[in-house]
Amino acid sequence: MNVRHLTFRLLQVYVAVVRSGSVSEAARQLHLTQPTVSQQLRRLAEAVGEPLLKSGHGRLNTTEAGRELYRASREVLSRFDDFEDYLEALRGGKRGRFSIALVNTAQYVLPRLLGPYSHAFPDVDVTLHVGNRRQMLTRFERQDDDLYVFSHPPSLAHALAGRFLRNPLVVVAPQGHPLAQRERIGMGELLEERFLLREPGSATRMMFESWLQEHGLSLGPTLQMASNEAIRVGVAAGMGLAVLSEHVLPPEHPDIAILPVADFPIESHWQFIVRRDRRLPHAALGFLSFAAGHLDECVETRFVANELAGLLMGLEAASEPS
Amino acid sequence: MNVRHLTFRLLQVYVAVVRSGSVSEAARQLHLTQPTVSQQLRRLAEAVGEPLLKSGHGRLNTTEAGRELYRASREVLSRFDDFEDYLEALRGGKRGRFSIALVNTAQYVLPRLLGPYSHAFPDVDVTLHVGNRRQMLTRFERQDDDLYVFSHPPSLAHALAGRFLRNPLVVVAPQGHPLAQRERIGMGELLEERFLLREPGSATRMMFESWLQEHGLSLGPTLQMASNEAIRVGVAAGMGLAVLSEHVLPPEHPDIAILPVADFPIESHWQFIVRRDRRLPHAALGFLSFAAGHLDECVETRFVANELAGLLMGLEAASEPS
DNA sequence: TCAACCCATAGAGAATTAACTATAGTAGAT
DNA sequence: ATCTACTATAGTTAATTCTCTATGGGTTGA
């Protein structure tokens, strides 16, 4: 017989016997009968090929080989205890890693959540992937990430969603724009202005365009720019108007005005999306719980739209039967 | 299912899979079929309670939990490899411990063997127990030691014996004793002299007394002394005569003369005795082999009577069937 | 698109294990 | 010397494990 077929259980039994110096005592401790323990010992000794114990004045003592096996067993068992601790931390979401795929615009707010979270769970590695909606969709299709943040989720057939943040789209103009004084503006009045737009894959642009379509309008001159930042700076510099997420604007924005356009802001919500066909890392679940509990503290209340409790319940229900 | 029933084999399989990044490849390496390995992996994952592997571009990669399990497995397996090395050293007699029980007189020569032996096998602990014959007998009865050195073995019913050294008993007198000049002396002529004797439990004394009995003689005045050393010094100081093992005398002994008494020296042999009902430590066996091979180099040739080969053969035969 | 390769699952049989009860031998303690 | 507690052995049973073959689904590369 070889050492390969030894179980950890066997080592536990052996350690208990050596520690107590008695087969019977070990059996009591382990809630086994004495012959069972005797038999295990014999099996172990056979596997090792050397006697392990000898009786000496009243108790069992180890032989040389037995002493070394005891040491090895202790080390091995404690190594696996450590492993179980690790597992527990993993399961508790206190450790591990997960990745989030974000649409561009959301990168302005998500750090407000991730900062406090990382502080509370320093042993979790979070990877962020940022891109426009189209890129995020392909990542979603390929199941590249654990969590996704979308305004408008793709098909929810294989996914669960939970809103957490308002994402109002507003029309912005340079400070001092003539219409900035007005109390109410119709979009029709703006169509002659030049609009700065994101690239076609962008969510912001898609939402704006579908709004236009619903209202039977179409834009005049446009200019395409690669990022929200570029557009914001462009608007401030008087290059034109734009529709942007309010989150893109800094808290103080003296060089930019929000125009009170009718039927604006365009209301949308960011939501966390979780694929149901991909096992969610415990850490990601922990992050969602954290977000559900600390959203109010992390972002301005006027943006909060915390519907994560429902998502969490859905996830629990989904993980139960597995 | 719990982690307790995991076998080392399972960990070996797991390590092979992680290392090669492929179930099939691991199966080939381990001379198993692929489904076998798959099943083992499933069992392991069930025991751990977490997924361990995920497939990523062309090969299997570990999850977080899997990576940690891999580390733990590697450490555990290598710890047991060390243990096997230890066992091998133990079995090779290169390491370990054993004890020898010696009759007093033999302590003058045994260090000549033990010195070179300890030098050659520095990791073996040898314990010596020295006493007179009676004390050694009780140790022998109680099975206290691994090896025993006697002149006349006790019952050999449960023991094997192998002679290795002549132990001639000679009559000694102070240098300048009148009879020291004679070429041949009868013991009868010495009976009026005072004899210095060891205590009754001593082997030397017993042998001398039984020699006297066989020759129908009995001693005159005697004086009992606790040790061979005391007797040797006493004789040199002119307190009387004595019968001593030649080994007790230093190589040069200007103050002591050996008397040419008829029927002397009393011939006897020291032998190693090994109980057959007690498992002999590998190190003790190693020592006997060493003694068998190096006796000539360690003690004066005129004392050598190396019959240890027979003992070793007997031991091998005894350990085979176990 | 097809072939090749990989992995997972199902099913089955032999072997092993884990645990028990009952019993006998040993060794300490009174 | 007897009693008691401890250990070892035997015999048994249910569960588990180990390994196989056969098969089906999925990826990848030609």
Side-chain angles (χ1 to χ4, degrees):
Chain A
M1 185 195 267
N2 201 323
V3 81
R4 323 188 301 181
H5 290 283
L6 296 186
T7 62
F8 282 48
R9 173 60 165 172
L10 211 47
L11 300 186
Q12 284 177 330
V13 169
Y14 178 65
V15 166
V17 170
V18 172
R19 247 202 273 267
S20 64
S22 152
V23 173
S24 300
E25 177 54 28
R28 278 189 290 271
Q29 286 173 12
L30 300 166
H31 306 294
L32 294 172
T33 60
Q34 168 266 315
T36 299
V37 175
S38 277
Q39 191 213 15
Q40 307 270 41
L41 284 181
R42 190 175 49 179
R43 254 188 358 106
L44 186 58
E46 274 170 17
V48 170
E50 295 285 326
L52 302 171
L53 299 170
K54 55 172 186 271
S55 55
H57 43 285
R59 53 178 285 129
L60 293 174
N61 293 306
T62 56
T63 62
E64 282 292 297
R67 176 162 26 261
E68 190 63 15
L69 177 63
Y70 177 69
R71 288 200 199 99
S73 302
R74 287 262 309 262
E75 287 175 35
V76 160
L77 291 174
S78 97
R79 182 64 184 88
F80 260 75
D81 283 347
D82 289 351
F83 175 64
E84 303 226 21
D85 288 348
Y86 180 92
L87 273 188
E88 201 170 323
L90 212 59
R91 278 196 262 265
K94 292 198 275 289
R95 149 166 253 136
R97 68 173 66 239
F98 66 98
S99 67
I100 310 185
L102 286 184
V103 288
N104 260 308
T105 320
Q107 74 182 295
Y108 293 92
V109 271
L110 220 72
R112 293 186 193 283
L113 264 174
L114 281 171
Y117 170 77
S118 297
H119 199 258
F121 297 89
D123 289 333
V124 177
D125 283 348
V126 185
T127 307
L128 282 187
H129 292 281
V130 182
N132 66 27
R133 178 182 165 83
R134 176 159 312 160
Q135 293 165 326
M136 290 307 101
L137 276 177
T138 61
R139 293 192 70 87
F140 180 82
E141 288 307 319
R142 288 204 312 248
Q143 314 188 13
D144 280 346
D145 302 282
D146 302 305
L147 297 179
Y148 302 85
V149 175
F150 285 107
S151 276
H152 290 282
S155 109
L156 284 181
H158 308 100
L160 294 173
R163 294 183 173 182
F164 67 105
L165 214 63
R166 289 181 53 229
N167 179 30
L169 303 185
V170 294
V171 182
V172 292
Q175 193 60 268
H177 187 278
L179 292 175
Q181 312 302 342
R182 294 262 299 278
E183 278 198 354
R184 188 181 170 81
I185 309 172
M187 177 54 85
E189 304 177 53
L190 300 177
L191 295 178
E192 294 311 306
E193 302 262 356
R194 179 160 67 187
F195 269 79
L196 311 187
L197 292 180
R198 291 272 306 285
E199 72 283 5
S202 149
T204 303
R205 173 162 174 172
M206 284 179 63
M207 286 194 277
F208 183 31
E209 284 176 341
S210 73
W211 185 93
L212 286 170
Q213 199 168 10
E214 280 171 22
H215 289 71
L217 302 174
S218 62
L219 289 180
T222 64
L223 193 94
Q224 184 170 316
M225 305 194 82
S227 78
N228 291 318
E229 282 299 303
I231 290 176
R232 183 169 60 77
V233 174
V235 170
M239 292 176 66
L241 307 185
V243 168
L244 283 180
S245 164
E246 247 192 276
H247 295 289
V248 173
L249 303 177
E252 302 294 316
H253 43 90
D255 47 0
I256 283 193
I258 298 177
L259 299 186
V261 177
D263 291 337
F264 264 81
I266 302 177
E267 273 298 338
S268 75
H269 291 84
W270 278 317
Q271 27 200 327
F272 284 116
I273 312 289
V274 179
R275 295 200 61 114
R276 250 183 306 197
D277 47 5
R278 187 181 206 271
R279 186 191 166 90
L280 192 65
H282 300 286
L285 188 60
F287 172 68
L288 289 179
S289 300
F290 182 90
H294 298 79
L295 198 56
D296 310 350
E297 312 156 18
C298 298
V299 300
E300 293 167 71
T301 11
R302 66 190 171 108
F303 290 127
V304 172
N306 190 338
E307 299 175 15
L308 292 176
L311 173 60
L312 288 171
M313 278 178 51
L315 285 171
E316 264 179 44
S319 68
E320 276 302 315
S322 84
Chain B
M1 184 194 268
N2 201 322
V3 81
R4 323 187 302 181
H5 290 282
L6 297 185
T7 62
F8 281 47
R9 173 60 165 171
L10 211 46
L11 299 187
Q12 285 177 330
V13 169
Y14 179 65
V15 165
V17 170
V18 172
R19 248 203 273 266
S20 63
S22 151
V23 173
S24 301
E25 177 55 28
R28 278 188 290 271
Q29 287 173 11
L30 298 167
H31 305 292
L32 293 172
T33 60
Q34 169 264 316
T36 300
V37 175
S38 276
Q39 192 213 15
Q40 306 270 40
L41 284 181
R42 189 176 49 178
R43 251 187 4 101
L44 187 59
E46 274 170 18
V48 170
E50 294 285 326
L52 302 171
L53 299 170
K54 54 171 186 270
S55 56
H57 42 286
R59 55 179 281 130
L60 293 175
N61 293 307
T62 57
T63 62
E64 282 292 294
R67 175 162 27 261
E68 188 63 16
L69 177 62
Y70 176 68
R71 289 202 198 99
S73 303
R74 287 263 310 262
E75 288 175 34
V76 159
L77 291 173
S78 97
R79 182 62 185 89
F80 260 74
D81 283 347
D82 289 351
F83 174 63
E84 302 225 23
D85 289 347
Y86 180 93
L87 273 187
E88 200 172 323
L90 210 60
R91 280 196 260 265
K94 290 198 277 291
R95 150 165 251 135
R97 66 173 67 238
F98 67 97
S99 68
I100 310 183
L102 286 184
V103 289
N104 260 307
T105 319
Q107 74 183 294
Y108 293 92
V109 271
L110 220 70
R112 293 187 193 283
L113 264 174
L114 280 172
Y117 170 77
S118 296
H119 198 259
F121 296 89
D123 288 334
V124 177
D125 283 347
V126 185
T127 308
L128 282 186
H129 291 281
V130 181
N132 65 29
R133 178 181 166 82
R134 176 158 313 160
Q135 293 165 324
M136 290 307 102
L137 276 177
T138 62
R139 292 192 71 87
F140 180 82
E141 288 307 321
R142 287 203 313 248
Q143 313 189 16
D144 281 346
D145 303 283
D146 301 306
L147 296 178
Y148 302 84
V149 176
F150 286 108
S151 276
H152 289 283
S155 110
L156 284 182
H158 308 100
L160 294 172
R163 293 182 173 183
F164 66 104
L165 215 63
R166 288 182 54 229
N167 178 32
L169 302 185
V170 294
V171 182
V172 293
Q175 193 62 265
H177 188 280
L179 294 175
Q181 314 301 345
R182 293 262 300 277
E183 277 198 359
R184 187 181 171 84
I185 310 172
M187 177 53 86
E189 304 177 54
L190 300 177
L191 295 180
E192 294 312 307
E193 301 262 358
R194 178 160 66 186
F195 269 79
L196 309 188
L197 293 182
R198 290 274 305 286
E199 72 284 1
S202 148
T204 304
R205 174 162 172 173
M206 282 179 63
M207 286 195 276
F208 183 28
E209 284 177 340
S210 73
W211 184 94
L212 287 170
Q213 200 170 8
E214 280 173 21
H215 290 71
L217 302 174
S218 62
L219 290 180
T222 64
L223 192 92
Q224 184 170 316
M225 304 193 82
S227 78
N228 292 318
E229 282 299 303
I231 291 176
R232 182 170 61 77
V233 175
V235 169
M239 291 175 67
L241 307 186
V243 168
L244 284 179
S245 163
E246 247 192 277
H247 294 288
V248 175
L249 303 177
E252 301 293 316
H253 43 90
D255 46 1
I256 284 192
I258 296 178
L259 300 185
V261 176
D263 288 340
F264 265 80
I266 303 176
E267 272 299 340
S268 74
H269 291 84
W270 278 317
Q271 27 199 329
F272 284 115
I273 313 288
V274 179
R275 295 200 61 115
R276 249 184 307 196
D277 46 6
R278 187 181 206 271
R279 188 189 164 91
L280 192 64
H282 300 287
L285 187 61
F287 172 67
L288 289 179
S289 300
F290 181 90
H294 298 80
L295 199 56
D296 308 352
E297 312 157 17
C298 298
V299 301
E300 294 167 69
T301 10
R302 66 190 170 108
F303 289 127
V304 173
N306 191 340
E307 299 174 14
L308 292 177
L311 172 59
L312 288 172
M313 279 178 51
L315 285 171
E316 262 178 47
S319 68
E320 275 304 316
S322 84

